[in-house]
Short mmCIF file of all heavy atoms in Angstrom, two decimals:
data_model
loop_
_atom_site.label_atom_id
_atom_site.label_comp_id
_atom_site.label_asym_id
_atom_site.label_seq_id
_atom_site.Cartn_x
_atom_site.Cartn_y
_atom_site.Cartn_z
N ASP A 134 -7.18 -1.30 2.44
CA ASP A 134 -7.34 -1.97 1.13
C ASP A 134 -6.42 -1.37 0.03
O ASP A 134 -6.74 -1.54 -1.12
CB ASP A 134 -8.84 -1.87 0.75
CG ASP A 134 -9.67 -2.78 1.58
OD1 ASP A 134 -9.27 -3.85 1.95
OD2 ASP A 134 -10.86 -2.32 1.83
N LYS A 135 -5.36 -0.76 0.39
CA LYS A 135 -4.41 -0.22 -0.60
C LYS A 135 -3.42 -1.32 -0.87
O LYS A 135 -2.91 -1.99 0.02
CB LYS A 135 -3.65 0.99 -0.05
CG LYS A 135 -2.64 1.54 -0.99
CD LYS A 135 -1.86 2.71 -0.38
CE LYS A 135 -0.77 3.24 -1.33
NZ LYS A 135 -0.02 4.35 -0.71
N LYS A 136 -3.13 -1.52 -2.16
CA LYS A 136 -2.21 -2.54 -2.61
C LYS A 136 -0.86 -1.94 -2.94
O LYS A 136 -0.70 -0.93 -3.52
CB LYS A 136 -2.75 -3.28 -3.84
CG LYS A 136 -4.09 -4.03 -3.60
CD LYS A 136 -4.50 -4.74 -4.84
CE LYS A 136 -5.85 -5.46 -4.68
NZ LYS A 136 -5.78 -6.55 -3.67
N THR A 137 0.21 -2.67 -2.47
CA THR A 137 1.58 -2.35 -2.80
C THR A 137 2.29 -3.59 -3.39
O THR A 137 2.03 -4.72 -2.86
CB THR A 137 2.36 -1.80 -1.61
OG1 THR A 137 2.19 -2.74 -0.50
CG2 THR A 137 1.87 -0.42 -1.16
N VAL A 138 3.08 -3.39 -4.38
CA VAL A 138 3.72 -4.54 -5.08
C VAL A 138 5.23 -4.49 -4.89
O VAL A 138 5.88 -3.46 -5.24
CB VAL A 138 3.37 -4.53 -6.56
CG1 VAL A 138 4.02 -5.73 -7.27
CG2 VAL A 138 1.81 -4.59 -6.76
N PHE A 139 5.77 -5.61 -4.34
CA PHE A 139 7.22 -5.72 -4.18
C PHE A 139 7.73 -6.82 -5.11
O PHE A 139 7.08 -7.85 -5.29
CB PHE A 139 7.50 -6.07 -2.68
CG PHE A 139 7.08 -5.08 -1.67
CD1 PHE A 139 5.73 -4.97 -1.33
CD2 PHE A 139 7.99 -4.29 -1.08
CE1 PHE A 139 5.32 -4.07 -0.35
CE2 PHE A 139 7.63 -3.33 -0.14
CZ PHE A 139 6.27 -3.23 0.26
N GLU A 140 9.01 -6.68 -5.55
CA GLU A 140 9.61 -7.68 -6.39
C GLU A 140 11.04 -7.89 -5.94
O GLU A 140 11.70 -6.98 -5.46
CB GLU A 140 9.58 -7.29 -7.84
CG GLU A 140 8.18 -7.21 -8.47
CD GLU A 140 8.21 -6.89 -9.92
OE1 GLU A 140 9.29 -6.68 -10.48
OE2 GLU A 140 7.12 -6.76 -10.53
N GLY A 141 11.56 -9.12 -6.11
CA GLY A 141 12.92 -9.37 -5.77
C GLY A 141 13.27 -10.86 -5.86
O GLY A 141 12.40 -11.73 -6.08
N PRO A 142 14.53 -11.18 -5.66
CA PRO A 142 15.03 -12.54 -5.75
C PRO A 142 15.11 -13.31 -4.47
O PRO A 142 15.04 -12.72 -3.36
CB PRO A 142 16.41 -12.32 -6.34
CG PRO A 142 16.92 -11.08 -5.60
CD PRO A 142 15.66 -10.19 -5.49
N LEU A 143 15.25 -14.58 -4.57
CA LEU A 143 15.53 -15.46 -3.41
C LEU A 143 16.97 -15.78 -3.37
O LEU A 143 17.59 -16.15 -4.43
CB LEU A 143 14.70 -16.73 -3.50
CG LEU A 143 14.97 -17.83 -2.43
CD1 LEU A 143 14.50 -17.38 -1.10
CD2 LEU A 143 14.32 -19.18 -2.92
N ASP A 144 17.60 -15.59 -2.20
CA ASP A 144 18.97 -16.00 -2.04
C ASP A 144 18.95 -17.43 -1.48
O ASP A 144 18.68 -17.60 -0.24
CB ASP A 144 19.67 -15.07 -1.05
CG ASP A 144 21.16 -15.35 -0.87
OD1 ASP A 144 21.59 -16.49 -1.10
OD2 ASP A 144 21.92 -14.41 -0.54
N PRO A 145 19.26 -18.46 -2.24
CA PRO A 145 19.18 -19.79 -1.72
C PRO A 145 20.21 -20.17 -0.72
O PRO A 145 19.98 -21.05 0.13
CB PRO A 145 19.45 -20.63 -3.06
CG PRO A 145 20.21 -19.72 -3.96
CD PRO A 145 19.71 -18.39 -3.65
N ASP A 146 21.38 -19.45 -0.70
CA ASP A 146 22.39 -19.73 0.30
C ASP A 146 21.93 -19.31 1.67
O ASP A 146 22.18 -19.94 2.66
CB ASP A 146 23.71 -19.05 -0.08
CG ASP A 146 24.29 -19.63 -1.43
OD1 ASP A 146 24.11 -20.81 -1.64
OD2 ASP A 146 24.88 -18.82 -2.13
N LYS A 147 21.29 -18.14 1.68
CA LYS A 147 20.78 -17.62 3.02
C LYS A 147 19.34 -18.06 3.30
O LYS A 147 18.85 -17.84 4.41
CB LYS A 147 20.83 -16.06 3.02
CG LYS A 147 22.25 -15.49 2.93
CD LYS A 147 22.19 -13.98 2.99
CE LYS A 147 23.51 -13.39 2.96
NZ LYS A 147 23.49 -11.83 3.01
N ASN A 148 18.69 -18.70 2.26
CA ASN A 148 17.26 -19.02 2.38
C ASN A 148 16.49 -17.80 2.77
O ASN A 148 15.64 -17.82 3.66
CB ASN A 148 17.10 -20.17 3.47
CG ASN A 148 15.67 -20.71 3.35
OD1 ASN A 148 15.05 -20.73 2.30
ND2 ASN A 148 15.20 -21.14 4.51
N GLU A 149 16.75 -16.66 2.07
CA GLU A 149 16.21 -15.37 2.35
C GLU A 149 15.61 -14.69 1.12
O GLU A 149 16.27 -14.68 0.07
CB GLU A 149 17.30 -14.51 2.98
CG GLU A 149 16.87 -13.17 3.61
CD GLU A 149 17.97 -12.53 4.31
OE1 GLU A 149 18.76 -11.83 3.61
OE2 GLU A 149 18.09 -12.61 5.52
N LEU A 150 14.40 -14.24 1.21
CA LEU A 150 13.68 -13.57 0.11
C LEU A 150 13.66 -12.08 0.38
O LEU A 150 13.17 -11.64 1.38
CB LEU A 150 12.27 -14.15 -0.01
CG LEU A 150 11.40 -13.57 -1.11
CD1 LEU A 150 12.01 -13.96 -2.48
CD2 LEU A 150 9.99 -14.16 -0.99
N THR A 151 14.24 -11.33 -0.50
CA THR A 151 14.33 -9.88 -0.39
C THR A 151 13.56 -9.20 -1.51
O THR A 151 13.92 -9.36 -2.71
CB THR A 151 15.81 -9.33 -0.42
OG1 THR A 151 16.52 -10.01 0.64
CG2 THR A 151 15.87 -7.85 -0.25
N LEU A 152 12.53 -8.47 -1.17
CA LEU A 152 11.60 -7.83 -2.11
C LEU A 152 11.66 -6.31 -1.88
O LEU A 152 11.70 -5.87 -0.73
CB LEU A 152 10.22 -8.33 -2.01
CG LEU A 152 10.13 -9.88 -1.93
CD1 LEU A 152 8.69 -10.32 -1.49
CD2 LEU A 152 10.32 -10.47 -3.33
N SER A 153 11.45 -5.52 -2.97
CA SER A 153 11.47 -4.08 -2.74
C SER A 153 10.58 -3.35 -3.79
O SER A 153 10.16 -3.99 -4.76
CB SER A 153 12.94 -3.51 -2.88
OG SER A 153 13.43 -3.77 -4.14
N ARG A 154 10.28 -2.14 -3.50
CA ARG A 154 9.46 -1.25 -4.37
C ARG A 154 9.93 0.18 -4.15
O ARG A 154 10.41 0.55 -3.09
CB ARG A 154 7.98 -1.46 -4.07
CG ARG A 154 7.52 -0.86 -2.72
CD ARG A 154 6.03 -1.01 -2.50
NE ARG A 154 5.26 -0.19 -3.38
CZ ARG A 154 4.76 1.01 -3.08
NH1 ARG A 154 5.11 1.59 -1.90
NH2 ARG A 154 4.01 1.70 -3.90
N VAL A 155 9.64 1.05 -5.16
CA VAL A 155 9.87 2.45 -4.99
C VAL A 155 8.54 3.15 -4.91
O VAL A 155 7.67 2.99 -5.82
CB VAL A 155 10.72 3.01 -6.19
CG1 VAL A 155 10.87 4.51 -6.06
CG2 VAL A 155 12.11 2.34 -6.25
N ASP A 156 8.34 3.88 -3.80
CA ASP A 156 7.07 4.63 -3.69
C ASP A 156 6.98 5.73 -4.71
O ASP A 156 7.88 6.55 -4.83
CB ASP A 156 7.01 5.23 -2.27
CG ASP A 156 5.66 5.84 -2.00
OD1 ASP A 156 5.38 6.94 -2.43
OD2 ASP A 156 4.81 5.21 -1.24
N PRO A 157 5.88 5.75 -5.52
CA PRO A 157 5.82 6.76 -6.60
C PRO A 157 5.68 8.18 -6.12
O PRO A 157 6.05 9.12 -6.83
CB PRO A 157 4.57 6.32 -7.39
CG PRO A 157 3.75 5.54 -6.36
CD PRO A 157 4.77 4.83 -5.52
N ASP A 158 5.24 8.34 -4.91
CA ASP A 158 5.06 9.73 -4.37
C ASP A 158 6.34 10.23 -3.61
O ASP A 158 6.85 11.33 -3.94
CB ASP A 158 3.89 9.73 -3.40
CG ASP A 158 2.60 9.42 -4.08
OD1 ASP A 158 2.39 9.80 -5.21
OD2 ASP A 158 1.78 8.71 -3.43
N THR A 159 6.85 9.44 -2.72
CA THR A 159 8.03 9.87 -1.88
C THR A 159 9.36 9.49 -2.59
O THR A 159 10.40 10.01 -2.17
CB THR A 159 7.99 9.25 -0.52
OG1 THR A 159 8.16 7.83 -0.65
CG2 THR A 159 6.65 9.59 0.15
N LYS A 160 9.36 8.55 -3.53
CA LYS A 160 10.55 7.99 -4.16
C LYS A 160 11.42 7.22 -3.22
O LYS A 160 12.52 6.82 -3.64
CB LYS A 160 11.33 9.17 -4.85
CG LYS A 160 10.58 10.06 -5.77
CD LYS A 160 9.92 9.23 -6.90
CE LYS A 160 9.08 10.18 -7.81
NZ LYS A 160 8.37 9.36 -8.91
N GLU A 161 10.96 6.97 -2.00
CA GLU A 161 11.79 6.18 -1.17
C GLU A 161 11.66 4.69 -1.57
O GLU A 161 10.65 4.26 -2.09
CB GLU A 161 11.37 6.33 0.32
CG GLU A 161 10.02 5.68 0.68
CD GLU A 161 9.68 5.77 2.11
OE1 GLU A 161 10.31 6.58 2.82
OE2 GLU A 161 8.82 4.97 2.60
N THR A 162 12.67 3.91 -1.25
CA THR A 162 12.65 2.47 -1.54
C THR A 162 12.20 1.80 -0.30
O THR A 162 12.77 1.94 0.83
CB THR A 162 14.06 2.01 -1.96
OG1 THR A 162 14.48 2.64 -3.13
CG2 THR A 162 14.04 0.47 -2.19
N GLN A 163 11.23 0.93 -0.42
CA GLN A 163 10.67 0.10 0.69
C GLN A 163 11.07 -1.36 0.52
O GLN A 163 11.02 -1.88 -0.63
CB GLN A 163 9.18 0.27 0.80
CG GLN A 163 8.78 1.73 0.99
CD GLN A 163 7.25 1.92 0.70
OE1 GLN A 163 6.59 1.04 0.30
NE2 GLN A 163 6.81 3.11 1.04
N GLN A 164 11.51 -1.97 1.53
CA GLN A 164 12.02 -3.34 1.41
C GLN A 164 11.42 -4.26 2.43
O GLN A 164 11.22 -3.92 3.61
CB GLN A 164 13.51 -3.30 1.62
CG GLN A 164 14.28 -4.65 1.48
CD GLN A 164 15.73 -4.57 1.85
OE1 GLN A 164 16.11 -4.60 3.02
NE2 GLN A 164 16.56 -4.51 0.84
N ILE A 165 11.14 -5.46 2.04
CA ILE A 165 10.61 -6.50 2.92
C ILE A 165 11.51 -7.73 2.76
O ILE A 165 11.82 -8.15 1.63
CB ILE A 165 9.16 -6.86 2.71
CG1 ILE A 165 8.69 -7.97 3.63
CG2 ILE A 165 8.90 -7.24 1.23
CD1 ILE A 165 7.15 -8.18 3.64
N VAL A 166 12.03 -8.32 3.88
CA VAL A 166 12.85 -9.47 3.85
C VAL A 166 12.16 -10.60 4.61
O VAL A 166 11.73 -10.36 5.74
CB VAL A 166 14.24 -9.20 4.48
CG1 VAL A 166 15.08 -10.40 4.48
CG2 VAL A 166 14.95 -8.01 3.75
N MET A 167 12.10 -11.84 4.00
CA MET A 167 11.40 -12.91 4.64
C MET A 167 12.35 -14.16 4.69
O MET A 167 13.13 -14.34 3.77
CB MET A 167 10.14 -13.32 3.86
CG MET A 167 9.10 -12.22 3.78
SD MET A 167 7.68 -12.84 2.81
CE MET A 167 6.46 -11.62 3.31
N ASN A 168 12.26 -14.85 5.76
CA ASN A 168 13.03 -16.14 5.90
C ASN A 168 12.45 -16.99 7.01
O ASN A 168 11.66 -16.52 7.87
CB ASN A 168 14.48 -15.79 6.17
CG ASN A 168 14.72 -15.16 7.54
OD1 ASN A 168 14.51 -13.95 7.76
ND2 ASN A 168 15.10 -16.03 8.48
N THR A 169 12.75 -18.29 6.96
CA THR A 169 12.43 -19.19 8.04
C THR A 169 13.75 -19.49 8.76
O THR A 169 14.86 -19.27 8.30
CB THR A 169 11.87 -20.49 7.57
OG1 THR A 169 12.75 -21.09 6.62
CG2 THR A 169 10.50 -20.21 6.88
N ALA A 170 13.59 -19.98 10.04
CA ALA A 170 14.74 -20.28 10.87
C ALA A 170 14.38 -21.53 11.70
O ALA A 170 13.21 -21.96 11.72
CB ALA A 170 15.16 -19.17 11.73
N ALA A 171 15.33 -22.03 12.52
CA ALA A 171 15.11 -23.16 13.44
C ALA A 171 14.50 -24.33 12.66
O ALA A 171 13.51 -24.92 13.11
CB ALA A 171 14.28 -22.70 14.60
N GLU A 172 15.08 -24.66 11.50
CA GLU A 172 14.66 -25.80 10.70
C GLU A 172 13.15 -25.71 10.30
O GLU A 172 12.41 -26.68 10.34
CB GLU A 172 14.93 -27.11 11.44
CG GLU A 172 16.46 -27.37 11.72
CD GLU A 172 16.67 -28.72 12.34
OE1 GLU A 172 15.71 -29.35 12.81
OE2 GLU A 172 17.84 -29.09 12.41
N GLY A 173 12.77 -24.52 9.96
CA GLY A 173 11.37 -24.26 9.46
C GLY A 173 10.35 -24.09 10.57
O GLY A 173 9.17 -23.91 10.24
N VAL A 174 10.72 -23.99 11.81
CA VAL A 174 9.75 -23.78 12.90
C VAL A 174 9.49 -22.29 13.09
O VAL A 174 8.41 -21.92 13.56
CB VAL A 174 10.26 -24.45 14.20
CG1 VAL A 174 9.30 -24.17 15.38
CG2 VAL A 174 10.39 -25.93 14.01
N ARG A 175 10.42 -21.43 12.68
CA ARG A 175 10.23 -19.97 12.85
C ARG A 175 10.12 -19.30 11.51
O ARG A 175 10.76 -19.72 10.51
CB ARG A 175 11.43 -19.37 13.58
CG ARG A 175 11.59 -19.82 15.01
CD ARG A 175 10.66 -19.17 15.95
NE ARG A 175 11.04 -17.84 16.27
CZ ARG A 175 10.35 -16.97 16.93
NH1 ARG A 175 9.09 -17.28 17.37
NH2 ARG A 175 10.80 -15.74 17.24
N PHE A 176 9.14 -18.33 11.39
CA PHE A 176 8.99 -17.48 10.23
C PHE A 176 9.23 -16.00 10.62
O PHE A 176 8.63 -15.59 11.63
CB PHE A 176 7.63 -17.66 9.54
CG PHE A 176 7.35 -16.73 8.43
CD1 PHE A 176 7.99 -16.90 7.18
CD2 PHE A 176 6.54 -15.62 8.63
CE1 PHE A 176 7.71 -16.05 6.14
CE2 PHE A 176 6.28 -14.73 7.60
CZ PHE A 176 6.92 -14.92 6.32
N ILE A 177 9.99 -15.33 9.85
CA ILE A 177 10.40 -13.93 10.20
C ILE A 177 10.25 -13.07 8.94
O ILE A 177 10.64 -13.44 7.90
CB ILE A 177 11.87 -13.88 10.69
CG1 ILE A 177 11.99 -14.79 11.90
CG2 ILE A 177 12.23 -12.42 11.08
CD1 ILE A 177 13.51 -15.09 12.23
N TYR A 178 9.61 -11.91 9.16
CA TYR A 178 9.71 -10.86 8.05
C TYR A 178 9.89 -9.49 8.76
O TYR A 178 9.40 -9.19 9.76
CB TYR A 178 8.53 -10.92 7.20
CG TYR A 178 7.19 -10.32 7.67
CD1 TYR A 178 6.95 -8.95 7.39
CD2 TYR A 178 6.28 -11.05 8.39
CE1 TYR A 178 5.72 -8.43 7.80
CE2 TYR A 178 5.08 -10.47 8.81
CZ TYR A 178 4.78 -9.14 8.53
OH TYR A 178 3.63 -8.57 8.98
N ARG A 179 10.68 -8.69 7.99
CA ARG A 179 11.01 -7.33 8.49
C ARG A 179 10.88 -6.34 7.35
O ARG A 179 11.12 -6.63 6.18
CB ARG A 179 12.41 -7.34 9.09
CG ARG A 179 13.48 -8.00 8.17
CD ARG A 179 14.89 -7.91 8.72
NE ARG A 179 15.08 -8.05 10.11
CZ ARG A 179 15.42 -9.18 10.70
NH1 ARG A 179 15.54 -10.34 9.95
NH2 ARG A 179 15.60 -9.24 12.00
N MET A 180 10.46 -5.13 7.78
CA MET A 180 10.29 -4.03 6.86
C MET A 180 11.30 -2.93 7.08
O MET A 180 11.65 -2.69 8.22
CB MET A 180 8.93 -3.43 6.92
CG MET A 180 7.78 -4.41 6.60
SD MET A 180 7.62 -4.79 4.86
CE MET A 180 7.28 -3.26 4.17
N ALA A 181 11.77 -2.32 6.02
CA ALA A 181 12.74 -1.20 6.13
C ALA A 181 12.50 -0.30 4.93
O ALA A 181 11.90 -0.60 3.95
CB ALA A 181 14.17 -1.73 6.17
N HIS A 182 13.15 0.92 5.00
CA HIS A 182 13.05 1.82 3.92
C HIS A 182 14.31 2.70 3.83
O HIS A 182 15.02 2.83 4.82
CB HIS A 182 11.86 2.80 4.05
CG HIS A 182 11.96 3.81 5.12
ND1 HIS A 182 11.77 3.51 6.45
CD2 HIS A 182 12.31 5.15 5.10
CE1 HIS A 182 11.93 4.61 7.18
NE2 HIS A 182 12.29 5.59 6.40
N LYS A 183 14.54 3.25 2.66
CA LYS A 183 15.67 4.25 2.54
C LYS A 183 15.17 5.36 1.67
O LYS A 183 14.39 5.21 0.74
CB LYS A 183 16.93 3.59 1.92
CG LYS A 183 16.75 3.11 0.49
CD LYS A 183 18.08 2.55 -0.03
CE LYS A 183 17.97 2.04 -1.48
NZ LYS A 183 19.24 1.50 -1.95
N GLU A 184 15.61 6.54 2.00
CA GLU A 184 15.17 7.76 1.25
C GLU A 184 15.79 7.80 -0.16
O GLU A 184 16.82 7.17 -0.41
CB GLU A 184 15.53 9.02 2.09
CG GLU A 184 14.89 9.07 3.41
CD GLU A 184 15.32 10.20 4.26
OE1 GLU A 184 16.24 10.98 3.78
OE2 GLU A 184 14.80 10.43 5.37
N ASP A 185 15.24 8.53 -1.03
CA ASP A 185 15.71 8.72 -2.36
C ASP A 185 17.15 9.28 -2.38
O ASP A 185 17.46 10.23 -1.74
CB ASP A 185 14.77 9.70 -3.16
CG ASP A 185 15.15 9.81 -4.58
OD1 ASP A 185 15.75 8.89 -5.14
OD2 ASP A 185 14.83 10.86 -5.19
#
Side-chain angles (χ1 to χ4, degrees):
D134 290 323
K135 179 182 177 181
K136 296 182 183 295
T137 50
V138 180
F139 298 77
E140 293 182 2
L143 173 69
D144 185 334
D146 295 326
K147 295 182 179 180
N148 191 30
E149 191 172 81
L150 182 64
T151 302
L152 311 165
S153 61
R154 69 181 291 268
V155 176
D156 187 281
D158 298 322
T159 65
K160 306 303 180 184
E161 72 175 16
T162 299
Q163 299 165 354
Q164 183 187 78
I165 179 169
V166 180
M167 297 179 166
N168 67 281
T169 56
E172 299 183 348
V174 177
R175 296 281 282 172
F176 173 75
I177 302 160
Y178 78 91
R179 45 175 42 95
M180 298 289 298
H182 73 279
K183 66 177 181 179
E184 297 174 358
D185 184 25

